[in-house]
Amino acid sequence: MSRFLILSVISLPLLLQGQPAYTPMKDETLFREQYIESAGQINTLKASFVQQKSISLLKAKLISTGEYHFKRDGMVRMEYTKPYAYLFILNEDMVYIRSGEKEMHVPTGSSRLFSQISRITLGAINGNILTMKDFSMEVLEDDNRYLLRLDPLNRDMKMLFRQFQVYISKKDLQVERIEMLESSGDTTSINFSGQQVNILLNDALFTVQ
Amino acid sequence: MRFLLFSSFLILSSCAIQQVERNEGHSCGIKMIFPWDQTMIFHTDLSVMDWDLSGIMILQKEANDKYRFLLTADAGPTLIDMTFSMQGYKRNYIFKKLDRNLLLSLFYEDVSVLIGIHILENKGFTLPDFKGCCYPFNKKKMVCYYSDESLTAQSGATLYDMSKATVTVNYFYDANNLLDSISVIHYNFNMHYKLYPIY
């Protein structure tokens, strides 16, 4: 237990009680314009993340943490630090993965699963998510957040995921959370915090050698 | 003589690691190291053919000597969800691209060896020059367990099909005798992986 954080199960009634009600936006035009403009001003981003996997087999959630780095245009570094070390770097068309004793340098096509997930986080940050052709999208809102619901159209993606949900703060238009609802019924959510925008990020962070 | 390979170094010993006696009635008294009544969560690096995956593997004991086996990708979805028993395996959910009988059978064998699923109802036996303990595994196969603190991999198991080794599972421990990792190597199929406990 010491190396793996486990959350207690939250009962469904409590979960539903606290669930904010999101409603479809009547006019998305203003949101889209503001979001694209705001995203266009982000050249670099650094954030911490907490990933929670809810697996039907387990009563507790599996939690892992790490750091996320983005640099325009197509550079992403996602580094898990607890409870295990795992590094994923996406640099345009190449992917570098380090896990345990293994290192891999592969084109994005060879690591399609993680690359697709990274493409969604990347798209949520740089604004491209609004124009992704392989998802149908619905925009909702509550008082504090926008919620983008993305249903995959691609057959391979549909086999794995039922829906992606991207939560964006109305305060600063930053991505707060990404949820992946799996076809199996399990879910994975990634919560971002401590975002630092347009700070100096060395290219070496994204080196795929 | 079939297991002469092992004869020079295999000395049955009782390690200070977690051990569970699976079948008190057998003659050779080998002890299983897998805490088979608990949920085990591993991070895994897996290579199958030309496919590499890093993810999480979960093994959980269920009722009636059944075990649940689940493999998920890092930051991603559940890929394999099966229930194992002595009689075989049942698919609960398999990502379509991985739904290959051979692959699922190999996972079934690996996990069966790992948790000693076939030891529940079978009596163990010894072999000449082998100071471990072997058990029948399905109709044609047998699995042999051994442990020796003097070895780098202090304990392990090998599955034999007609006297040919097909899979070896090795357990590695840290200086405090806690399980550090498990390696699984197939000899007849390009598949190998390591499991790192994260429980």
Side-chain angles (χ1 to χ4, degrees), chain B residues 47-92:
Chain B
S47 291
V48 184
M49 306 288 282
D50 58 348
W51 181 64
D52 289 295
L53 171 78
S54 173
I56 292 171
M57 185 183 286
I58 301 170
L59 298 173
Q60 188 175 78
K61 173 86 164 62
E62 296 195 322
N64 302 321
D65 292 322
K66 288 183 176 169
Y67 295 84
R68 202 71 180 272
F69 167 81
L70 196 131
L71 180 68
T72 78
D74 278 313
T78 299
L79 301 171
I80 296 177
D81 180 355
M82 296 196 286
T83 301
F84 292 160
S85 69
M86 253 193 78
Q87 286 71 42
Y89 63 85
K90 184 181 83 129
R91 295 165 165 85
N92 299 318

mmCIF file of all heavy atoms in Angstrom, chain B residues 47-92:
data_model
loop_
_atom_site.group_PDB
_atom_site.id
_atom_site.type_symbol
_atom_site.label_atom_id
_atom_site.label_comp_id
_atom_site.label_asym_id
_atom_site.label_seq_id
_atom_site.Cartn_x
_atom_site.Cartn_y
_atom_site.Cartn_z
ATOM 1 N N SER B 47 6.531 -7.464 -24.300
ATOM 2 C CA SER B 47 6.859 -7.547 -25.724
ATOM 3 C C SER B 47 6.239 -8.809 -26.288
ATOM 4 O O SER B 47 6.521 -9.915 -25.804
ATOM 5 C CB SER B 47 8.373 -7.615 -25.939
ATOM 6 O OG SER B 47 8.957 -6.398 -25.593
ATOM 7 N N VAL B 48 5.404 -8.643 -27.269
ATOM 8 C CA VAL B 48 4.804 -9.791 -27.961
ATOM 9 C C VAL B 48 5.008 -9.572 -29.446
ATOM 10 O O VAL B 48 4.536 -8.582 -30.004
ATOM 11 C CB VAL B 48 3.290 -9.893 -27.690
ATOM 12 C CG1 VAL B 48 2.720 -11.144 -28.344
ATOM 13 C CG2 VAL B 48 2.986 -9.887 -26.229
ATOM 14 N N MET B 49 5.738 -10.511 -30.071
ATOM 15 C CA MET B 49 6.080 -10.370 -31.486
ATOM 16 C C MET B 49 6.724 -8.987 -31.677
ATOM 17 O O MET B 49 7.699 -8.681 -31.043
ATOM 18 C CB MET B 49 4.831 -10.532 -32.367
ATOM 19 C CG MET B 49 4.072 -11.835 -32.112
ATOM 20 S SD MET B 49 4.931 -13.290 -32.719
ATOM 21 C CE MET B 49 4.552 -13.173 -34.450
ATOM 22 N N ASP B 50 6.159 -8.146 -32.538
ATOM 23 C CA ASP B 50 6.748 -6.821 -32.746
ATOM 24 C C ASP B 50 5.961 -5.740 -32.001
ATOM 25 O O ASP B 50 6.035 -4.565 -32.315
ATOM 26 C CB ASP B 50 6.787 -6.488 -34.249
ATOM 27 C CG ASP B 50 5.400 -6.525 -34.861
ATOM 28 O OD1 ASP B 50 4.476 -7.027 -34.192
ATOM 29 O OD2 ASP B 50 5.242 -6.061 -36.004
ATOM 30 N N TRP B 51 5.206 -6.146 -31.009
ATOM 31 C CA TRP B 51 4.318 -5.232 -30.297
ATOM 32 C C TRP B 51 4.832 -5.022 -28.882
ATOM 33 O O TRP B 51 5.102 -5.985 -28.177
ATOM 34 C CB TRP B 51 2.916 -5.847 -30.301
ATOM 35 C CG TRP B 51 1.865 -5.046 -29.641
ATOM 36 C CD1 TRP B 51 1.400 -3.829 -30.009
ATOM 37 C CD2 TRP B 51 1.123 -5.429 -28.469
ATOM 38 N NE1 TRP B 51 0.400 -3.429 -29.152
ATOM 39 C CE2 TRP B 51 0.212 -4.393 -28.204
ATOM 40 C CE3 TRP B 51 1.117 -6.541 -27.632
ATOM 41 C CZ2 TRP B 51 -0.667 -4.431 -27.133
ATOM 42 C CZ3 TRP B 51 0.246 -6.583 -26.576
ATOM 43 C CH2 TRP B 51 -0.638 -5.534 -26.337
ATOM 44 N N ASP B 52 5.000 -3.773 -28.494
ATOM 45 C CA ASP B 52 5.466 -3.450 -27.142
ATOM 46 C C ASP B 52 4.380 -2.703 -26.396
ATOM 47 O O ASP B 52 3.724 -1.832 -26.951
ATOM 48 C CB ASP B 52 6.722 -2.576 -27.197
ATOM 49 C CG ASP B 52 7.925 -3.357 -27.680
ATOM 50 O OD1 ASP B 52 8.348 -4.277 -26.976
ATOM 51 O OD2 ASP B 52 8.406 -3.043 -28.782
ATOM 52 N N LEU B 53 4.237 -3.042 -25.152
ATOM 53 C CA LEU B 53 3.206 -2.389 -24.347
ATOM 54 C C LEU B 53 3.722 -2.172 -22.941
ATOM 55 O O LEU B 53 4.375 -3.036 -22.358
ATOM 56 C CB LEU B 53 1.946 -3.266 -24.275
ATOM 57 C CG LEU B 53 0.877 -2.784 -23.294
ATOM 58 C CD1 LEU B 53 0.095 -1.629 -23.905
ATOM 59 C CD2 LEU B 53 -0.071 -3.899 -22.898
ATOM 60 N N SER B 54 3.437 -0.998 -22.414
ATOM 61 C CA SER B 54 3.700 -0.734 -21.013
ATOM 62 C C SER B 54 2.348 -0.488 -20.367
ATOM 63 O O SER B 54 1.544 0.283 -20.883
ATOM 64 C CB SER B 54 4.592 0.504 -20.912
ATOM 65 O OG SER B 54 4.733 0.876 -19.581
ATOM 66 N N GLY B 55 2.083 -1.153 -19.271
ATOM 67 C CA GLY B 55 0.768 -0.999 -18.666
ATOM 68 C C GLY B 55 0.686 -1.569 -17.271
ATOM 69 O O GLY B 55 1.707 -1.749 -16.597
ATOM 70 N N ILE B 56 -0.518 -1.840 -16.857
ATOM 71 C CA ILE B 56 -0.758 -2.358 -15.512
ATOM 72 C C ILE B 56 -1.437 -3.720 -15.619
ATOM 73 O O ILE B 56 -2.374 -3.884 -16.401
ATOM 74 C CB ILE B 56 -1.643 -1.369 -14.708
ATOM 75 C CG1 ILE B 56 -0.850 -0.088 -14.437
ATOM 76 C CG2 ILE B 56 -2.097 -1.986 -13.384
ATOM 77 C CD1 ILE B 56 -1.667 1.040 -13.858
ATOM 78 N N MET B 57 -0.915 -4.668 -14.852
ATOM 79 C CA MET B 57 -1.498 -5.998 -14.815
ATOM 80 C C MET B 57 -2.037 -6.251 -13.414
ATOM 81 O O MET B 57 -1.352 -6.015 -12.431
ATOM 82 C CB MET B 57 -0.451 -7.050 -15.176
ATOM 83 C CG MET B 57 -1.012 -8.460 -15.283
ATOM 84 S SD MET B 57 0.280 -9.690 -15.627
ATOM 85 C CE MET B 57 0.630 -9.379 -17.349
ATOM 86 N N ILE B 58 -3.272 -6.728 -13.352
ATOM 87 C CA ILE B 58 -3.907 -6.980 -12.056
ATOM 88 C C ILE B 58 -4.317 -8.450 -11.984
ATOM 89 O O ILE B 58 -4.910 -8.976 -12.925
ATOM 90 C CB ILE B 58 -5.147 -6.089 -11.862
ATOM 91 C CG1 ILE B 58 -4.763 -4.612 -11.956
ATOM 92 C CG2 ILE B 58 -5.828 -6.368 -10.523
ATOM 93 C CD1 ILE B 58 -5.935 -3.660 -12.016
ATOM 94 N N LEU B 59 -3.981 -9.077 -10.871
ATOM 95 C CA LEU B 59 -4.429 -10.459 -10.615
ATOM 96 C C LEU B 59 -5.219 -10.446 -9.318
ATOM 97 O O LEU B 59 -4.737 -9.962 -8.298
ATOM 98 C CB LEU B 59 -3.233 -11.406 -10.465
ATOM 99 C CG LEU B 59 -2.327 -11.554 -11.679
ATOM 100 C CD1 LEU B 59 -1.103 -12.373 -11.322
ATOM 101 C CD2 LEU B 59 -3.085 -12.221 -12.809
ATOM 102 N N GLN B 60 -6.415 -10.984 -9.377
ATOM 103 C CA GLN B 60 -7.252 -10.963 -8.178
ATOM 104 C C GLN B 60 -7.927 -12.319 -7.970
ATOM 105 O O GLN B 60 -8.491 -12.884 -8.906
ATOM 106 C CB GLN B 60 -8.322 -9.879 -8.290
ATOM 107 C CG GLN B 60 -9.093 -9.664 -7.017
ATOM 108 C CD GLN B 60 -10.062 -8.478 -7.142
ATOM 109 O OE1 GLN B 60 -11.117 -8.587 -7.730
ATOM 110 N NE2 GLN B 60 -9.675 -7.350 -6.592
ATOM 111 N N LYS B 61 -7.862 -12.794 -6.720
ATOM 112 C CA LYS B 61 -8.544 -14.045 -6.366
ATOM 113 C C LYS B 61 -10.033 -13.770 -6.250
ATOM 114 O O LYS B 61 -10.449 -12.815 -5.621
ATOM 115 C CB LYS B 61 -7.985 -14.541 -5.040
ATOM 116 C CG LYS B 61 -8.696 -15.744 -4.452
ATOM 117 C CD LYS B 61 -8.127 -17.017 -5.008
ATOM 118 C CE LYS B 61 -8.528 -18.244 -4.185
ATOM 119 N NZ LYS B 61 -9.945 -18.494 -4.130
ATOM 120 N N GLU B 62 -10.819 -14.628 -6.883
ATOM 121 C CA GLU B 62 -12.265 -14.522 -6.744
ATOM 122 C C GLU B 62 -12.784 -15.785 -6.075
ATOM 123 O O GLU B 62 -12.012 -16.627 -5.636
ATOM 124 C CB GLU B 62 -12.897 -14.329 -8.128
ATOM 125 C CG GLU B 62 -12.465 -13.020 -8.781
ATOM 126 C CD GLU B 62 -13.323 -12.631 -9.957
ATOM 127 O OE1 GLU B 62 -13.729 -13.529 -10.712
ATOM 128 O OE2 GLU B 62 -13.578 -11.421 -10.107
ATOM 129 N N ALA B 63 -14.081 -15.923 -6.018
ATOM 130 C CA ALA B 63 -14.658 -17.092 -5.349
ATOM 131 C C ALA B 63 -14.418 -18.369 -6.153
ATOM 132 O O ALA B 63 -14.125 -18.310 -7.345
ATOM 133 C CB ALA B 63 -16.158 -16.871 -5.177
ATOM 134 N N ASN B 64 -14.541 -19.503 -5.509
ATOM 135 C CA ASN B 64 -14.465 -20.820 -6.158
ATOM 136 C C ASN B 64 -13.162 -21.042 -6.924
ATOM 137 O O ASN B 64 -13.166 -21.575 -8.039
ATOM 138 C CB ASN B 64 -15.649 -21.011 -7.109
ATOM 139 C CG ASN B 64 -16.969 -20.870 -6.386
ATOM 140 O OD1 ASN B 64 -17.103 -21.324 -5.240
ATOM 141 N ND2 ASN B 64 -17.931 -20.228 -7.008
ATOM 142 N N ASP B 65 -12.055 -20.627 -6.323
ATOM 143 C CA ASP B 65 -10.741 -20.829 -6.938
ATOM 144 C C ASP B 65 -10.660 -20.288 -8.360
ATOM 145 O O ASP B 65 -10.040 -20.883 -9.240
ATOM 146 C CB ASP B 65 -10.355 -22.310 -6.911
ATOM 147 C CG ASP B 65 -10.112 -22.767 -5.493
ATOM 148 O OD1 ASP B 65 -9.549 -21.974 -4.710
ATOM 149 O OD2 ASP B 65 -10.502 -23.887 -5.156
ATOM 150 N N LYS B 66 -11.315 -19.158 -8.569
ATOM 151 C CA LYS B 66 -11.182 -18.462 -9.847
ATOM 152 C C LYS B 66 -10.334 -17.215 -9.637
ATOM 153 O O LYS B 66 -10.287 -16.664 -8.533
ATOM 154 C CB LYS B 66 -12.551 -18.087 -10.401
ATOM 155 C CG LYS B 66 -13.309 -19.303 -10.900
ATOM 156 C CD LYS B 66 -14.626 -18.926 -11.503
ATOM 157 C CE LYS B 66 -15.275 -20.190 -12.058
ATOM 158 N NZ LYS B 66 -16.660 -19.975 -12.431
ATOM 159 N N TYR B 67 -9.679 -16.805 -10.703
ATOM 160 C CA TYR B 67 -8.797 -15.637 -10.649
ATOM 161 C C TYR B 67 -9.145 -14.706 -11.790
ATOM 162 O O TYR B 67 -9.419 -15.148 -12.899
ATOM 163 C CB TYR B 67 -7.325 -16.068 -10.767
ATOM 164 C CG TYR B 67 -6.858 -16.895 -9.608
ATOM 165 C CD1 TYR B 67 -7.102 -18.268 -9.595
ATOM 166 C CD2 TYR B 67 -6.212 -16.322 -8.532
ATOM 167 C CE1 TYR B 67 -6.704 -19.042 -8.524
ATOM 168 C CE2 TYR B 67 -5.805 -17.088 -7.460
ATOM 169 C CZ TYR B 67 -6.052 -18.452 -7.459
ATOM 170 O OH TYR B 67 -5.667 -19.212 -6.400
ATOM 171 N N ARG B 68 -9.097 -13.439 -11.511
ATOM 172 C CA ARG B 68 -9.343 -12.434 -12.541
ATOM 173 C C ARG B 68 -7.998 -11.892 -13.006
ATOM 174 O O ARG B 68 -7.125 -11.586 -12.180
ATOM 175 C CB ARG B 68 -10.188 -11.350 -11.902
ATOM 176 C CG ARG B 68 -10.976 -10.488 -12.786
ATOM 177 C CD ARG B 68 -12.163 -11.051 -13.483
ATOM 178 N NE ARG B 68 -12.711 -9.951 -14.277
ATOM 179 C CZ ARG B 68 -13.590 -9.112 -13.783
ATOM 180 N NH1 ARG B 68 -14.066 -9.281 -12.577
ATOM 181 N NH2 ARG B 68 -13.997 -8.104 -14.537
ATOM 182 N N PHE B 69 -7.835 -11.765 -14.294
ATOM 183 C CA PHE B 69 -6.607 -11.258 -14.904
ATOM 184 C C PHE B 69 -6.976 -10.057 -15.765
ATOM 185 O O PHE B 69 -7.849 -10.150 -16.626
ATOM 186 C CB PHE B 69 -5.975 -12.343 -15.773
ATOM 187 C CG PHE B 69 -4.891 -11.848 -16.686
ATOM 188 C CD1 PHE B 69 -3.606 -11.648 -16.207
ATOM 189 C CD2 PHE B 69 -5.142 -11.595 -18.027
ATOM 190 C CE1 PHE B 69 -2.600 -11.193 -17.062
ATOM 191 C CE2 PHE B 69 -4.147 -11.146 -18.876
ATOM 192 C CZ PHE B 69 -2.875 -10.962 -18.386
ATOM 193 N N LEU B 70 -6.331 -8.931 -15.495
ATOM 194 C CA LEU B 70 -6.668 -7.721 -16.231
ATOM 195 C C LEU B 70 -5.396 -6.992 -16.665
ATOM 196 O O LEU B 70 -4.464 -6.860 -15.873
ATOM 197 C CB LEU B 70 -7.512 -6.811 -15.327
ATOM 198 C CG LEU B 70 -8.263 -5.693 -16.010
ATOM 199 C CD1 LEU B 70 -9.708 -5.687 -15.548
ATOM 200 C CD2 LEU B 70 -7.631 -4.373 -15.670
ATOM 201 N N LEU B 71 -5.359 -6.579 -17.924
ATOM 202 C CA LEU B 71 -4.214 -5.840 -18.455
ATOM 203 C C LEU B 71 -4.710 -4.527 -19.040
ATOM 204 O O LEU B 71 -5.600 -4.526 -19.884
ATOM 205 C CB LEU B 71 -3.524 -6.677 -19.541
ATOM 206 C CG LEU B 71 -2.307 -6.061 -20.214
ATOM 207 C CD1 LEU B 71 -1.134 -5.949 -19.248
ATOM 208 C CD2 LEU B 71 -1.885 -6.888 -21.432
ATOM 209 N N THR B 72 -4.149 -3.426 -18.547
ATOM 210 C CA THR B 72 -4.524 -2.115 -19.099
ATOM 211 C C THR B 72 -3.272 -1.421 -19.614
ATOM 212 O O THR B 72 -2.161 -1.715 -19.166
ATOM 213 C CB THR B 72 -5.161 -1.193 -18.044
ATOM 214 O OG1 THR B 72 -4.130 -0.633 -17.218
ATOM 215 C CG2 THR B 72 -6.150 -1.927 -17.169
ATOM 216 N N ALA B 73 -3.472 -0.503 -20.556
ATOM 217 C CA ALA B 73 -2.349 0.299 -21.042
ATOM 218 C C ALA B 73 -2.108 1.453 -20.075
ATOM 219 O O ALA B 73 -3.005 1.855 -19.342
ATOM 220 C CB ALA B 73 -2.673 0.843 -22.424
ATOM 221 N N ASP B 74 -0.887 1.974 -20.068
ATOM 222 C CA ASP B 74 -0.611 3.188 -19.287
ATOM 223 C C ASP B 74 -1.468 4.318 -19.833
ATOM 224 O O ASP B 74 -1.591 4.484 -21.034
ATOM 225 C CB ASP B 74 0.864 3.597 -19.438
ATOM 226 C CG ASP B 74 1.760 2.820 -18.516
ATOM 227 O OD1 ASP B 74 1.441 2.702 -17.330
ATOM 228 O OD2 ASP B 74 2.778 2.301 -19.012
ATOM 229 N N ALA B 75 -2.039 5.094 -18.966
ATOM 230 C CA ALA B 75 -2.865 6.247 -19.362
ATOM 231 C C ALA B 75 -3.940 5.839 -20.341
ATOM 232 O O ALA B 75 -4.397 6.641 -21.138
ATOM 233 C CB ALA B 75 -2.012 7.325 -20.013
ATOM 234 N N GLY B 76 -4.282 4.594 -20.321
ATOM 235 C CA GLY B 76 -5.206 4.169 -21.348
ATOM 236 C C GLY B 76 -6.144 3.081 -20.911
ATOM 237 O O GLY B 76 -6.355 2.864 -19.733
ATOM 238 N N PRO B 77 -6.693 2.426 -21.874
ATOM 239 C CA PRO B 77 -7.830 1.552 -21.621
ATOM 240 C C PRO B 77 -7.468 0.121 -21.193
ATOM 241 O O PRO B 77 -6.326 -0.309 -21.328
ATOM 242 C CB PRO B 77 -8.505 1.509 -22.984
ATOM 243 C CG PRO B 77 -7.368 1.645 -23.942
ATOM 244 C CD PRO B 77 -6.354 2.530 -23.290
ATOM 245 N N THR B 78 -8.484 -0.564 -20.704
ATOM 246 C CA THR B 78 -8.365 -1.985 -20.410
ATOM 247 C C THR B 78 -8.281 -2.741 -21.733
ATOM 248 O O THR B 78 -9.088 -2.516 -22.634
ATOM 249 C CB THR B 78 -9.600 -2.455 -19.615
ATOM 250 O OG1 THR B 78 -9.634 -1.725 -18.390
ATOM 251 C CG2 THR B 78 -9.541 -3.942 -19.337
ATOM 252 N N LEU B 79 -7.291 -3.602 -21.836
ATOM 253 C CA LEU B 79 -7.093 -4.338 -23.080
ATOM 254 C C LEU B 79 -7.521 -5.794 -22.957
ATOM 255 O O LEU B 79 -8.055 -6.377 -23.901
ATOM 256 C CB LEU B 79 -5.609 -4.271 -23.491
ATOM 257 C CG LEU B 79 -5.047 -2.867 -23.712
ATOM 258 C CD1 LEU B 79 -3.546 -2.910 -23.883
ATOM 259 C CD2 LEU B 79 -5.698 -2.209 -24.925
ATOM 260 N N ILE B 80 -7.236 -6.387 -21.808
ATOM 261 C CA ILE B 80 -7.581 -7.803 -21.601
ATOM 262 C C ILE B 80 -8.202 -7.953 -20.216
ATOM 263 O O ILE B 80 -7.657 -7.459 -19.232
ATOM 264 C CB ILE B 80 -6.342 -8.716 -21.720
ATOM 265 C CG1 ILE B 80 -5.771 -8.666 -23.135
ATOM 266 C CG2 ILE B 80 -6.689 -10.158 -21.354
ATOM 267 C CD1 ILE B 80 -4.500 -9.483 -23.318
ATOM 268 N N ASP B 81 -9.323 -8.639 -20.151
ATOM 269 C CA ASP B 81 -9.977 -8.940 -18.878
ATOM 270 C C ASP B 81 -10.475 -10.387 -18.978
ATOM 271 O O ASP B 81 -11.381 -10.674 -19.766
ATOM 272 C CB ASP B 81 -11.137 -7.963 -18.644
ATOM 273 C CG ASP B 81 -11.866 -8.232 -17.316
ATOM 274 O OD1 ASP B 81 -11.535 -9.218 -16.633
ATOM 275 O OD2 ASP B 81 -12.771 -7.444 -16.985
ATOM 276 N N MET B 82 -9.860 -11.286 -18.216
ATOM 277 C CA MET B 82 -10.228 -12.703 -18.299
ATOM 278 C C MET B 82 -10.403 -13.273 -16.890
ATOM 279 O O MET B 82 -9.861 -12.747 -15.920
ATOM 280 C CB MET B 82 -9.136 -13.505 -19.010
ATOM 281 C CG MET B 82 -8.920 -13.126 -20.457
ATOM 282 S SD MET B 82 -7.985 -14.389 -21.363
ATOM 283 C CE MET B 82 -6.348 -14.157 -20.726
ATOM 284 N N THR B 83 -11.151 -14.357 -16.804
ATOM 285 C CA THR B 83 -11.266 -15.114 -15.560
ATOM 286 C C THR B 83 -10.622 -16.473 -15.772
ATOM 287 O O THR B 83 -10.905 -17.153 -16.767
ATOM 288 C CB THR B 83 -12.754 -15.295 -15.173
ATOM 289 O OG1 THR B 83 -13.339 -14.000 -15.016
ATOM 290 C CG2 THR B 83 -12.873 -16.055 -13.861
ATOM 291 N N PHE B 84 -9.727 -16.830 -14.859
ATOM 292 C CA PHE B 84 -8.998 -18.091 -14.961
ATOM 293 C C PHE B 84 -9.490 -19.079 -13.915
ATOM 294 O O PHE B 84 -9.824 -18.702 -12.793
ATOM 295 C CB PHE B 84 -7.499 -17.878 -14.692
ATOM 296 C CG PHE B 84 -6.794 -17.068 -15.748
ATOM 297 C CD1 PHE B 84 -5.595 -16.448 -15.455
ATOM 298 C CD2 PHE B 84 -7.319 -16.935 -17.012
ATOM 299 C CE1 PHE B 84 -4.929 -15.703 -16.414
ATOM 300 C CE2 PHE B 84 -6.675 -16.202 -17.980
ATOM 301 C CZ PHE B 84 -5.464 -15.585 -17.683
ATOM 302 N N SER B 85 -9.491 -20.350 -14.290
ATOM 303 C CA SER B 85 -9.708 -21.417 -13.310
ATOM 304 C C SER B 85 -8.897 -22.614 -13.783
ATOM 305 O O SER B 85 -8.284 -22.565 -14.852
ATOM 306 C CB SER B 85 -11.192 -21.774 -13.219
ATOM 307 O OG SER B 85 -11.597 -22.409 -14.413
ATOM 308 N N MET B 86 -8.917 -23.674 -13.027
ATOM 309 C CA MET B 86 -8.176 -24.864 -13.443
ATOM 310 C C MET B 86 -8.686 -25.401 -14.769
ATOM 311 O O MET B 86 -7.975 -26.041 -15.524
ATOM 312 C CB MET B 86 -8.291 -25.944 -12.374
ATOM 313 C CG MET B 86 -7.021 -26.137 -11.601
ATOM 314 S SD MET B 86 -7.078 -27.629 -10.630
ATOM 315 C CE MET B 86 -6.753 -28.856 -11.860
ATOM 316 N N GLN B 87 -9.942 -25.163 -15.038
ATOM 317 C CA GLN B 87 -10.550 -25.718 -16.254
ATOM 318 C C GLN B 87 -10.216 -24.901 -17.507
ATOM 319 O O GLN B 87 -10.420 -25.363 -18.623
ATOM 320 C CB GLN B 87 -12.082 -25.774 -16.098
ATOM 321 C CG GLN B 87 -12.588 -26.872 -15.169
ATOM 322 C CD GLN B 87 -12.271 -26.593 -13.712
ATOM 323 O OE1 GLN B 87 -12.405 -25.461 -13.248
ATOM 324 N NE2 GLN B 87 -11.819 -27.610 -12.994
ATOM 325 N N GLY B 88 -9.743 -23.685 -17.333
ATOM 326 C CA GLY B 88 -9.419 -22.872 -18.499
ATOM 327 C C GLY B 88 -9.712 -21.409 -18.229
ATOM 328 O O GLY B 88 -9.743 -20.988 -17.080
ATOM 329 N N TYR B 89 -9.927 -20.655 -19.310
ATOM 330 C CA TYR B 89 -10.175 -19.227 -19.122
ATOM 331 C C TYR B 89 -11.463 -18.788 -19.814
ATOM 332 O O TYR B 89 -11.932 -19.420 -20.754
ATOM 333 C CB TYR B 89 -9.005 -18.391 -19.636
ATOM 334 C CG TYR B 89 -8.725 -18.487 -21.117
ATOM 335 C CD1 TYR B 89 -9.408 -17.692 -22.027
ATOM 336 C CD2 TYR B 89 -7.762 -19.366 -21.608
ATOM 337 C CE1 TYR B 89 -9.152 -17.776 -23.378
ATOM 338 C CE2 TYR B 89 -7.496 -19.461 -22.965
ATOM 339 C CZ TYR B 89 -8.188 -18.663 -23.843
ATOM 340 O OH TYR B 89 -7.938 -18.752 -25.196
ATOM 341 N N LYS B 90 -11.993 -17.693 -19.312
ATOM 342 C CA LYS B 90 -13.209 -17.104 -19.892
ATOM 343 C C LYS B 90 -12.903 -15.645 -20.233
ATOM 344 O O LYS B 90 -12.305 -14.928 -19.431
ATOM 345 C CB LYS B 90 -14.339 -17.178 -18.864
ATOM 346 C CG LYS B 90 -15.690 -16.687 -19.386
ATOM 347 C CD LYS B 90 -16.736 -16.770 -18.305
ATOM 348 C CE LYS B 90 -16.680 -15.582 -17.416
ATOM 349 N NZ LYS B 90 -17.758 -14.802 -17.081
ATOM 350 N N ARG B 91 -13.287 -15.239 -21.434
ATOM 351 C CA ARG B 91 -13.085 -13.842 -21.836
ATOM 352 C C ARG B 91 -14.163 -12.966 -21.184
ATOM 353 O O ARG B 91 -15.345 -13.235 -21.379
ATOM 354 C CB ARG B 91 -13.219 -13.687 -23.343
ATOM 355 C CG ARG B 91 -12.187 -14.390 -24.176
ATOM 356 C CD ARG B 91 -12.717 -14.418 -25.613
ATOM 357 N NE ARG B 91 -11.709 -14.757 -26.590
ATOM 358 C CZ ARG B 91 -11.378 -15.996 -26.910
ATOM 359 N NH1 ARG B 91 -11.956 -17.020 -26.294
ATOM 360 N NH2 ARG B 91 -10.467 -16.219 -27.834
ATOM 361 N N ASN B 92 -13.766 -11.933 -20.484
ATOM 362 C CA ASN B 92 -14.730 -10.938 -20.010
ATOM 363 C C ASN B 92 -14.758 -9.742 -20.958
ATOM 364 O O ASN B 92 -15.796 -9.256 -21.328
ATOM 365 C CB ASN B 92 -14.383 -10.476 -18.597
ATOM 366 C CG ASN B 92 -14.420 -11.624 -17.615
ATOM 367 O OD1 ASN B 92 -15.323 -12.456 -17.665
ATOM 368 N ND2 ASN B 92 -13.438 -11.697 -16.735
#
